[in-house]
Amino acid sequence: MTRKTAADFDQRILDLFDGYVHGQMTKREFLSRATRLTIAGVSAAAVLEALQPDYALAQQVAPDDPDIVTERIRYPSPDGYGEVEGLLARPAGPGPFGAVLVVHENRGLNPYIEDVVRRCAKAGYLALGPDGLTTLGGYPGNDDEGRVMQRQLDPQRLLSDFFAGFEFLAGHALSTGRVGAVGFCYGGGVCNALAVAYPEMACAVPYYGRQAATEDVPGIEAPLQLHYAGNDDRINAGWPDYEAALQATGKTFEVHVYDGANHGFHNDTTPRYDEAAATLAWSRTLDWFGRHIG
C-alpha cells in the first residue's frame, strides 16, 4: 500500500479537515466545502476517507517487544471521573526509571498513542498513556467516535484524570519520581496545563497544543520544549503571547516550528504525517527527556 502524504491533498482541504476534526464544522459542512476543491472524478467523501488514520501503516514498537513490559492498569482519579484505565509500559530491567506521561489527542487512547507509550518505554522510561474516555467505556476503536465521545466529557474532570496520571507516576514504585510529559493536539494543551499545576515536574513537551494562559506562566518551573507545525495557523496564533510571557518571566524553554508541516505531523497513521519533521521532533524530545528526566 502506498502511503498518502499531505502533498497529495490541496492544502485548503487539509485546513478544512483540521477544522472538522476539532469540532469547528460538521461532517456535512466539511463535505460540502471540500466538494468545491476536489478534482474531477474524486468525491469529497473519498477524500475524507483517505485522510482517516490507517493503524496498519505504522507500528514502531511491537506490543511484545522483548525489551519492554506492558500492562493495562487502572489508577484512582478522585477529582476526575473516579478511575482511569491506561497503558503502562517500562523497560524490561529492574528500574527505577524516569517517567513520562503520554497524553492523547482529542479522541482517546488510540493505537498511535499506545505506540508512543511503547516508544517511551523502549527509550528507557516508565511510560503511562491514560485513556481519557475510560468513563465512557474507553477508546471505541475509531477516531471519529472517539472525538464525539471526548466532547461529551466535562473538560475540568477530564483534565483532572490526566493530573491524577501524573501523580500516579510520581508515586509509582518503579519511578525515580522525576516525571515529564509529552502530548499531542489536545494532549499538548494538557502538557502546558500540567506545567502550570505542577512546578515540580521534570519537563513538558507539548506538540501543537493550546498554550497556557499568560497570567499562569509565572508559576511554570518545568523546562518546556514546544513543537509547532508551520501550517497550523489555528494553534500558532496563540504562540507569540505565550512566548513573550515565557521570555518575560525567564522560563527555560525552546521552540521548534516545522515549516510546511501540518497539525498532527507526528501521527504516522495519517496523510498529515511528515516523516522528516516527526523524526527530528522525536529525537529532540528524547534529548529533552535525557537532559531533564535522566
Side-chain angles (χ1 to χ4, degrees):
M1 180 182 298
T2 301
R3 178 197 291 270
K4 287 189 177 296
T5 70
D8 295 312
F9 301 87
D10 187 310
Q11 182 61 46
R12 293 171 295 176
I13 287 180
L14 294 174
D15 293 341
L16 287 175
F17 182 71
D18 184 72
Y20 164 61
V21 298
H22 291 97
Q24 296 174 348
M25 68 183 74
T26 66
K27 182 177 180 179
R28 182 186 297 273
E29 289 169 329
F30 170 84
L31 293 174
S32 175
R33 296 172 66 178
T35 295
R36 299 191 290 270
L37 302 172
T38 57
I39 61 175
V42 178
S43 70
V47 170
L48 179 58
E49 180 62 28
L51 286 166
Q52 298 299 326
D54 183 346
Y55 294 118
L57 288 176
Q59 183 183 96
Q60 295 190 24
V61 181
D64 60 353
D65 187 302
D67 292 334
I68 64 173
V69 176
T70 64
E71 60 180 316
R72 296 282 175 176
I73 58 97
R74 299 182 78 92
Y75 63 85
S77 178
D79 295 324
Y81 280 98
E83 191 174 54
V84 183
E85 182 175 297
L87 177 65
L88 187 70
R90 61 174 174 82
F97 311 102
V100 176
L101 184 72
V102 181
V103 189
H104 60 65
E105 305 148 307
N106 63 335
R107 59 209 69 173
L109 183 63
N110 61 24
Y112 154 62
I113 297 297
E114 289 185 351
D115 197 65
V116 175
V117 173
R118 294 192 296 269
R119 293 175 211 176
C120 290
K122 185 83 169 179
Y125 299 99
L126 174 68
L128 172 65
D131 188 349
L133 303 183
T134 297
T135 191
L136 299 177
Y139 176 70
N142 72 83
D143 284 15
D144 277 347
E145 290 183 36
R147 281 190 292 267
V148 172
M149 291 168 65
Q150 190 155 323
R151 286 197 294 268
Q152 296 172 5
L153 297 173
D154 176 79
Q156 192 56 52
R157 294 179 73 184
L158 177 60
L159 184 62
S160 293
D161 283 345
F162 289 104
F163 284 7
F166 178 89
E167 294 173 8
F168 173 82
L169 282 177
H172 195 281
L174 291 177
S175 170
T176 63
R178 294 194 58 77
V179 183
V182 61
F184 307 88
C185 182
Y186 166 80
V190 172
C191 285
N192 284 312
L194 282 162
V196 171
Y198 297 94
E200 71 274 20
M201 78 180 299
C203 65
V205 184
Y207 278 68
Y208 30 83
R210 185 176 66 180
Q211 298 82 9
T214 55
E215 61 267 26
D216 292 334
V217 169
I220 294 175
E221 298 296 334
L224 303 178
Q225 185 185 72
L226 306 111
H227 300 274
Y228 293 105
N231 293 344
D232 192 4
D233 293 342
R234 179 179 58 86
I235 291 296
N236 295 352
W239 170 242
D241 288 345
Y242 196 34
E243 180 183 35
L246 291 169
Q247 290 175 335
T249 50
K251 303 306 178 182
T252 299
F253 74 96
E254 64 180 43
V255 59
H256 302 284
V257 180
Y258 301 86
D259 292 340
N262 286 277
H263 184 93
F265 71 80
H266 185 268
N267 186 334
D268 52 2
T269 69
T270 81
R272 294 191 293 176
Y273 173 59
D274 186 310
E275 183 176 9
T279 300
L280 178 57
W282 192 246
S283 69
R284 286 168 167 164
T285 298
L286 293 182
D287 177 69
W288 200 251
F289 288 167
R291 290 159 60 184
H292 297 290
I293 301 176

